[in-house]
Amino acid sequence: MEILGVDIGGSGIKGAIVDVTTGELKSDRIRIPTPQPATPDAVAQTLKQLVDQIGYKGPIGCGFPARVIKGEVLTAANIDKSWINVKVEKIFSKAVGMDVFVANDADVAGLAELSFGAVKGHKGTVLFLTLGTGIGSALFHNGHMFPNTEFGHLKFKGDSAEKYCADSAREREELKFKEWGERLNKYLEYISFLISPEIIVLGGGVSKKFEKFEEQLKVNVKVVPAKTLNLAGIIGAAMYAKSRLKK
Ligand code: BGC
């Protein structure tokens, strides 16, 4: 079965057709810059442009950088505030004229890692974190997801954890990888104390540079970089749509 997976991010909207049984891409990966301001209507139109460019007809899965419950956006930490309470599935489906299923970006990327990536088939408790502008989280136990966790917003060192150790904090404060890795380690220790994961998978662009901060990660849990890297959002989005189609 092939489904279009789309990853909606702050700077780019990326999509490709995915074979949801193997996790392979079945079309080129298309990227269109996110419109600015990224209002609901503007993003819906860009999604339509992407679907037209790929020439796809069928159900679509989308990862979105916020809490999404029953097709509605509930938070807007790193996206335009006008998204709050928008029925995102409804406006996207209307714009493209096909069914669009939307879930949190980290949840869908975690789904891809658990199906095809670094923790393929892993039982027990797995925590997946994406380190980008914010910190997204996905939590699994015995292969089941506990959706919409927001561990990036745990209060930590006086503010939300993502302000302290997302990749954007490293860039904003011009931290060396060593300093940033130490911060990340403190956060991982705290979160591990709270939920006792057996393995932590780090995703987001910075996970490609894992060897630059690996040494600082002294937390007493196995930590590995994501394998599906920048495709996780696309692959996972398609898989999420498949899971919704079954219902
Ligand atoms: C949002 C999450 C999202 C993460 C990564 C956070 O600021 O609250 O919902 O998963 O950023 O995009």
Side-chain angles (χ1 to χ4, degrees):
M1 186 179 199
E2 295 182 1
I3 296 181
L4 175 63
V6 180
D7 184 12
I8 300 195
S11 58
I13 298 183
K14 296 144 272 179
I17 298 173
V18 179
D19 179 329
V20 287
T21 322
T22 61
E24 278 165 43
L25 297 201
K26 290 289 170 186
S27 73
D28 286 342
R29 170 182 174 275
I30 306 278
R31 180 185 188 279
I32 302 181
T34 306
Q36 299 302 338
T39 57
D41 282 345
V43 173
Q45 284 318 309
T46 309
L47 175 66
K48 180 169 179 358
Q49 199 187 325
L50 184 134
V51 174
D52 290 348
Q53 217 168 308
I54 296 182
Y56 173 84
K57 285 202 170 23
I60 298 168
C62 255
F64 192 85
R67 263 169 73 202
V68 183
I69 297 185
K70 292 193 179 135
E72 183 174 340
V73 175
L74 296 184
T75 52
N78 293 307
I79 53 170
D80 198 88
K81 301 295 171 242
S82 60
W83 275 100
I84 293 187
N85 294 128
V86 166
K87 299 216 173 347
V88 61
E89 290 194 346
K90 215 170 167 182
I91 66 158
F92 282 179
S93 300
K94 195 166 166 228
V96 299
M98 288 171 264
D99 283 337
V100 184
F101 303 102
V102 184
N104 174 262
D105 56 354
D107 278 348
V108 305
L111 204 59
E113 274 297 306
L114 201 75
S115 311
F116 308 112
V119 279
K120 189 173 170 185
H122 191 89
K123 297 276 185 270
T125 307
V126 174
L127 174 68
F128 173 80
L129 295 172
T130 58
L131 306 166
T133 308
I135 297 181
S137 57
L139 184 64
F140 299 88
H141 184 68
N142 287 348
H144 294 287
M145 185 203 285
F146 188 111
N148 286 298
T149 56
E150 285 286 355
F151 293 127
H153 291 275
L154 278 175
K155 287 282 166 290
F156 198 65
K157 305 278 179 194
D159 207 334
S160 69
E162 64 179 24
K163 296 273 182 315
Y164 178 70
C165 60
D167 195 35
S168 58
R170 182 181 64 81
E171 287 169 351
R172 190 178 55 242
E173 298 182 41
E174 297 178 6
L175 300 173
K176 300 233 161 46
F177 271 103
K178 184 173 177 296
E179 293 167 282
W180 179 74
E182 282 164 3
R183 283 192 184 193
L184 183 62
N185 184 55
K186 284 186 194 142
Y187 168 62
L188 296 185
E189 280 178 342
Y190 180 50
I191 199 168
S192 299
F193 168 73
L194 295 177
I195 59 163
S196 303
E198 283 153 33
I199 186 160
I200 299 175
V201 186
L202 299 181
V206 74
S207 62
K208 281 185 224 164
K209 299 178 187 145
F210 188 69
E211 75 291 342
K212 295 198 176 181
F213 55 93
E214 187 178 8
E215 210 180 302
Q216 276 68 50
L217 305 182
K218 301 199 163 77
V219 58
N220 197 14
V221 179
K222 186 171 175 197
V223 184
V224 295
K227 253 193 194 153
T228 50
L229 291 171
N230 61 344
L231 294 181
I234 293 176
I235 299 170
M239 296 185 59
Y240 173 71
K242 181 185 163 203
S243 75
R244 291 278 302 273
L245 285 171
K246 277 201 249 158
K247 284 173 192 152

Coordinates of all heavy atoms in Angstrom, one line a residue, residues 64-67 75-78 104-107 130 133-137 149-150 152-153 162, ligand 1:
F64 N 2.5 17.3 12.2 CA 2.3 18.7 12.5 C 2.9 19.1 13.8 O 2.8 18.4 14.8 CB 0.8 19.0 12.5 CG 0.4 20.4 12.4 CD1 0.4 21.1 11.2 CD2 0.2 21.2 13.6 CE1 0.1 22.5 11.2 CE2 -0.1 22.5 13.5 CZ -0.1 23.2 12.3
P65 N 3.7 20.2 13.9 CA 4.5 20.5 15.1 C 3.7 21.1 16.3 O 4.0 22.2 16.8 CB 5.5 21.5 14.6 CG 4.8 22.2 13.5 CD 3.9 21.2 12.8
A66 N 2.7 20.4 16.7 CA 1.8 20.9 17.8 C 1.0 19.7 18.4 O 1.1 18.6 17.8 CB 0.9 21.9 17.4
R67 N 0.3 19.9 19.5 CA -0.6 18.9 20.0 C -1.8 18.8 19.1 O -2.4 19.9 18.8 CB -1.0 19.2 21.4 CG -0.2 18.5 22.5 CD -0.6 19.1 23.8 NE -1.9 18.7 24.2 CZ -2.6 19.4 25.1 NH1 -2.1 20.5 25.7 NH2 -3.8 18.9 25.5
T75 N -2.1 23.5 20.6 CA -1.1 24.4 21.1 C -0.3 25.0 19.9 O -0.5 24.6 18.8 CB 0.0 23.5 21.9 OG1 0.4 22.4 21.0 CG2 -0.6 23.0 23.2
A76 N 0.5 26.0 20.2 CA 1.2 26.7 19.1 C 2.5 27.2 19.7 O 2.8 28.4 19.7 CB 0.4 27.8 18.5
A77 N 3.4 26.3 20.2 CA 4.7 26.8 20.8 C 5.6 27.4 19.8 O 6.1 28.5 20.0 CB 5.4 25.6 21.5
N78 N 5.8 26.8 18.6 CA 6.7 27.3 17.6 C 6.1 27.5 16.3 O 6.7 27.5 15.2 CB 7.9 26.3 17.4 CG 8.7 26.2 18.7 OD1 9.2 27.2 19.2 ND2 8.9 25.0 19.2
N104 N 0.7 14.7 15.7 CA 1.9 15.4 16.2 C 3.2 14.9 15.4 O 3.3 13.7 15.2 CB 2.1 15.2 17.7 CG 3.3 15.7 18.2 OD1 4.3 15.0 18.4 ND2 3.4 17.0 18.5
D105 N 4.0 15.9 15.0 CA 5.2 15.5 14.2 C 6.1 14.5 14.9 O 6.7 13.6 14.3 CB 6.0 16.8 13.8 CG 6.4 17.7 15.0 OD1 6.0 17.4 16.1 OD2 7.1 18.7 14.7
A106 N 6.4 14.7 16.2 CA 7.3 13.8 16.9 C 6.7 12.4 17.0 O 7.3 11.4 16.9 CB 7.6 14.3 18.3
D107 N 5.4 12.3 17.3 CA 4.7 11.0 17.4 C 4.8 10.2 16.1 O 5.2 9.1 16.1 CB 3.2 11.2 17.7 CG 2.9 11.5 19.2 OD1 3.9 11.3 20.0 OD2 1.8 11.8 19.5
T130 N 12.8 14.6 19.3 CA 13.3 15.3 18.1 C 13.9 16.6 18.7 O 13.2 17.3 19.4 CB 12.3 15.6 17.1 OG1 11.2 16.4 17.7 CG2 11.7 14.4 16.5
T133 N 13.9 23.1 16.4 CA 13.5 24.4 17.0 C 12.9 24.2 18.4 O 13.3 24.9 19.3 CB 12.4 25.1 16.1 OG1 12.8 25.1 14.8 CG2 12.1 26.5 16.6
G134 N 12.1 23.2 18.5 CA 11.6 22.8 19.8 C 12.1 21.4 20.2 O 13.0 20.9 19.5
I135 N 11.6 20.8 21.2 CA 11.8 19.4 21.5 C 10.5 18.7 21.4 O 9.6 19.0 22.1 CB 12.5 19.1 22.8 CG1 13.8 19.8 22.9 CG2 12.6 17.6 23.1 CD1 14.6 19.6 24.2
G136 N 10.4 17.7 20.5 CA 9.2 16.9 20.4 C 9.4 15.6 21.0 O 10.6 15.1 21.0
S137 N 8.4 14.9 21.5 CA 8.6 13.6 22.1 C 7.5 12.6 21.7 O 6.4 13.0 21.4 CB 8.5 13.8 23.7 OG 7.3 14.4 24.1
T149 N 2.6 13.4 24.0 CA 3.4 13.8 25.2 C 4.1 15.0 24.8 O 4.4 15.2 23.6 CB 4.4 12.7 25.6 OG1 5.2 12.4 24.4 CG2 3.7 11.4 26.0
E150 N 4.4 15.9 25.7 CA 5.1 17.2 25.4 C 6.2 17.3 26.4 O 6.3 18.3 27.2 CB 4.1 18.3 25.6 CG 3.1 18.5 24.4 CD 3.7 19.0 23.1 OE1 4.9 19.4 23.2 OE2 3.0 19.1 22.1
G152 N 9.1 18.2 25.9 CA 10.0 19.3 25.6 C 9.5 20.5 26.4 O 10.2 21.5 26.5
H153 N 8.3 20.4 27.0 CA 7.8 21.6 27.7 C 7.9 21.3 29.2 O 7.3 22.1 30.0 CB 6.4 21.9 27.3 CG 6.4 22.5 25.9 ND1 6.5 23.8 25.6 CD2 6.3 21.8 24.7 CE1 6.5 24.0 24.3 NE2 6.3 22.8 23.7
E162 N 12.8 22.8 26.2 CA 13.3 23.1 24.8 C 14.0 24.4 24.7 O 14.9 24.6 23.9 CB 12.1 23.0 23.8 CG 11.0 24.0 24.0 CD 9.9 23.8 22.9 OE1 9.8 22.7 22.3 OE2 9.2 24.8 22.6
Ligands
BGC1 C1 5.7 21.4 20.3 C2 5.5 19.9 20.0 C3 6.3 19.5 18.8 C4 7.8 19.9 18.9 C5 8.6 19.6 17.7 C6 7.2 21.6 20.4 O1 7.4 23.0 20.7 O2 5.1 21.7 21.4 O3 4.2 19.6 19.8 O4 6.3 18.1 18.6 O5 7.9 21.3 19.2 O6 8.2 20.2 16.6

